[in-house]
Amino acid sequence: MYDVVIIGAGVSGSASARELSRYRLKVCVVEKEEDVCCGTSKANSGIVHAGFDAPSGSLMAKLNVEGNQRMEALSKELDFHFKKNGSLVVCLQEEEMPNLQALYERGVANGVKDLRIIGREELVQLEPNISDEAVAALYAPTGGIVCPFGMNIAFAENAAANGVEFQFDTEVTGFEKKGENWIVKTNQGNIETRYIVNAAGVYADVFHNMVSEKKIHITPRRGDYCLLDRATEGFVTHTIFQLPGKQGKGVLVSPTVHGNTLVGPTAIDIDNKEGTNTTQEGIDELIRKGGATVKDLPIRQVITSFAGLRAHEEGHEFIIGEVEGAKGFIDCAGIESPGLTSAPAIGRMIADIVKDLTKAEPNPDFVGTRKGILNPKTLKKEERAALIKEKPEYGNIICRCEMISEGEIMDAINRPLGAKSLDGVKRRTRAGMGRCQAGFCSPRTIEILARERGVEASEITKSGGNSKIIAGINKDSI
């Protein structure tokens, strides 16, 4: 019996879990995948939006600005990568200047600080590789970039440290009302709870529509991306947007917090809620559009391409609150861009709703800080030598592209909500994210996972489920 069951361990669900752990509540997060951060939250731009794009007066605008303002302090509390690099919305034609001015005025109305429109001369000083066609830009110094995996995992780990339970490989199949409580039906059995938080991403409409006569519809909007090698670091230093169109902000070109360059996303509405395959058409489109705002885009430095799905609700607005006619069922739906930026504020809003409904008291044992995985490269030479002397695993480099040690991988596996798969290790340490895309380090990472988890190497998967890497081991041949 729980006070709250949260469906979905993406960034919204994990942020909500962390905020709810501030109170004396028994909370459980159920996730159909094998780890946190396996849906929309793992495949996005990693952008901390300033807040000028969402319609003034909308919940989306309010939570965007609040999330942006909290991000820097939160990154220090929870030890995840964040950089306030600023953003530029580029205008390529003089006749579009009124649209840029309208975006500026909307940002001011939304409460975005230090916004200003800059001319070509200053724009070129900020970004030497900007397109020769660029005439002006909206400059937002409060824009930033974040590691989306690190942020999501940090929320979840801190929630777990404060008593929140996580159940993975647990797929919700339905609901039943039992007096004042809910029965959450899953493939692992039934769970009873007083309240449900529906943070299920592209599936949030499915669960909402099971309990409400007022239906909502979420369209999976696929976005293709290209990730460029870290050799391109410095090609751009700000996040460069195009003037928004009907389907969002267009293709951006941005640095990442780890030194790569990211190009994307496209915006293609599909029916398949699992349709994260890239397409040649999508990649061609993002290369063409990305090259419109910057010149000499080093697209030959691509090391991988991927696609993510945004949970686009028809009204293009976050849906957060108790569902009419379904007492105790709380929606956290339609969380598309700027959902990542808004996550800290979304989590707080969900917690406030539950706190008001339950009259929950503060948790006196709540700890609001968390330390991430130790990175030996950040230590001074003497400190690193002392660490390796004490723990030699930190001197054994497994991933040569990203210079990730065995010690870091062991930490990723053995910490709260530790990695169980190659992708779990990759998202926590970056082992396998470099130029060779795990071609070199996968065998050793599999060995370490098997050893630390006490299972056969053939049981280790790429990303849970049936994604096994090794078909079988003939021990007689070893």
Side-chain angles (χ1 to χ4, degrees):
M1 176 67 192
Y2 293 94
D3 293 306
V4 186
V5 166
I6 300 171
I7 305 171
V11 71
S12 297
S14 296
S16 299
R18 191 245 180 179
E19 291 297 322
L20 284 168
S21 71
R22 295 178 182 273
Y23 301 98
R24 290 182 181 271
L25 293 166
K26 190 175 182 183
V27 181
C28 178
V29 180
V30 296
E31 167 59 51
K32 71 183 180 71
E33 303 295 341
E34 57 98 28
D35 200 355
V36 303
C37 195
C38 285
T40 296
S41 301
K42 76 171 182 183
N44 57 65
S45 308
I47 304 302
V48 177
H49 292 280
F52 48 74
D53 189 53
S56 298
S58 66
L59 182 61
M60 191 178 278
K62 175 180 180 294
L63 298 182
N64 183 166
V65 174
E66 182 183 334
N68 174 286
Q69 292 173 350
R70 291 187 60 203
M71 196 64 69
E72 188 165 14
L74 195 61
S75 70
K76 294 174 182 176
E77 290 172 18
L78 297 181
D79 197 18
F80 60 83
H81 292 284
F82 164 75
K83 183 179 181 181
K84 191 180 288 186
N85 68 319
S87 63
L88 295 161
V89 182
V90 177
C91 178
L92 297 173
Q93 297 176 326
E94 287 286 353
E95 52 265 35
E96 290 183 341
M97 285 298 294
N99 296 334
L100 197 70
Q101 180 66 30
L103 199 61
Y104 164 79
E105 293 171 0
R106 187 189 306 164
V108 171
N110 289 351
V112 180
K113 297 178 181 178
D114 303 324
L115 269 182
R116 58 192 179 94
I117 293 177
I118 62 174
R120 176 168 177 81
E121 184 177 349
E122 185 175 357
L123 177 57
V124 172
Q125 289 177 348
L126 291 175
E127 289 293 347
N129 290 315
I130 205 71
S131 168
D132 291 335
E133 305 299 317
V135 296
L138 177 63
Y139 178 37
T142 59
I145 49 179
V146 70
C147 174
F149 325 116
M151 179 177 162
N152 193 157
I153 291 166
F155 281 138
E157 285 187 357
N158 190 231
N162 283 296
V164 174
E165 297 178 30
F166 284 75
Q167 294 187 22
F168 297 107
D169 297 310
T170 303
E171 184 172 359
V172 174
T173 57
F175 308 99
E176 182 182 320
K177 206 76 167 89
K178 181 182 177 182
E180 293 295 308
N181 297 335
W182 287 92
I183 302 295
V184 181
K185 300 178 180 180
T186 81
N187 63 337
Q188 303 291 344
N190 293 343
I191 304 170
E192 188 170 353
T193 182
R194 295 168 63 199
Y195 295 92
I196 294 170
V197 175
N198 172 25
V202 293
Y203 287 96
D205 58 342
V206 175
F207 297 136
H208 170 100
N209 294 341
M210 286 180 179
V211 302
S212 176
E213 299 201 358
K214 186 178 180 181
K215 307 303 181 186
I216 63 172
H217 180 68
I218 289 175
T219 299
R221 178 166 286 174
R222 195 187 78 228
D224 301 274
Y225 292 88
C226 283
L227 184 70
L228 278 56
D229 188 75
R230 286 196 294 158
T232 65
E233 185 172 11
F235 176 72
V236 296
T237 56
H238 301 76
T239 300
I240 301 176
F241 295 106
Q242 299 168 359
L243 267 175
K246 289 183 179 180
Q247 289 193 301
K249 306 172 188 67
V251 168
L252 60 84
V253 181
S254 177
T256 73
V257 290
H258 299 290
N260 301 86
T261 302
L262 187 67
V263 185
T266 54
I268 303 165
D269 290 346
I270 62 176
D271 296 323
N272 183 5
K273 293 181 184 287
E274 300 291 334
T276 56
N277 56 298
T278 57
T279 65
Q280 184 66 57
E281 294 79 12
I283 299 299
D284 288 345
E285 179 186 346
L286 74 85
I287 292 172
R288 176 175 54 81
K289 288 185 175 179
T293 48
V294 294
K295 55 188 178 183
D296 302 320
L297 182 68
I299 203 65
R300 289 184 179 274
Q301 294 286 346
V302 169
I303 58 174
T304 189
S305 60
F306 62 94
L309 298 177
R310 286 160 275 177
H312 176 66
E313 190 272 325
E314 289 178 333
H316 190 51
E317 174 64 303
F318 296 158
I319 301 174
I320 301 175
E322 192 172 23
V323 173
E324 183 181 344
K327 186 178 178 181
F329 192 101
I330 300 162
D331 267 339
C332 181
I335 311 299
E336 59 180 317
S337 178
L340 186 71
T341 310
S342 305
I346 290 171
R348 179 174 286 180
M349 184 175 177
I350 291 290
D352 285 345
I353 292 169
V354 173
K355 179 189 68 173
D356 291 343
L357 290 170
T358 61
K359 310 302 180 188
E361 297 178 355
N363 174 10
D365 299 320
F366 175 78
V367 177
T369 58
R370 165 260 188 194
K371 286 298 294 179
I373 293 170
L374 173 63
N375 181 353
K377 296 188 290 295
T378 62
L379 301 176
K380 295 179 181 178
K381 186 177 180 180
E382 312 81 57
E383 294 173 333
R384 187 175 182 182
L387 173 66
I388 293 171
K389 184 176 181 180
E390 180 186 356
K391 299 179 179 178
E393 295 87 355
Y394 283 98
N396 182 19
I397 299 301
I398 303 300
C399 173
R400 294 184 180 180
C401 294
E402 297 291 321
M403 295 298 290
I404 305 300
S405 68
E406 181 179 3
E408 291 164 86
I409 294 172
M410 289 168 61
D411 188 356
I413 297 165
N414 293 308
R415 65 195 291 110
L417 307 180
K420 301 185 286 291
S421 66
L422 286 177
D423 280 0
V425 169
K426 180 171 71 173
R427 286 192 286 269
R428 287 165 174 81
T429 68
R430 292 186 59 78
M433 281 196 178
R435 189 171 187 86
C436 86
Q437 288 292 289
F440 177 82
C441 62
S442 286
R444 283 291 289 122
T445 304
I446 289 172
E447 288 178 9
I448 297 167
L449 274 162
R451 183 191 73 210
E452 296 297 308
R453 296 190 58 220
V455 299
E456 294 287 344
S458 58
E459 295 301 308
I460 301 301
T461 65
K462 181 183 183 298
S463 56
N466 295 319
S467 61
K468 291 185 178 180
I469 308 295
I470 300 171
I473 299 175
N474 184 351
K475 294 184 179 180
D476 294 334
S477 66
I478 297 177

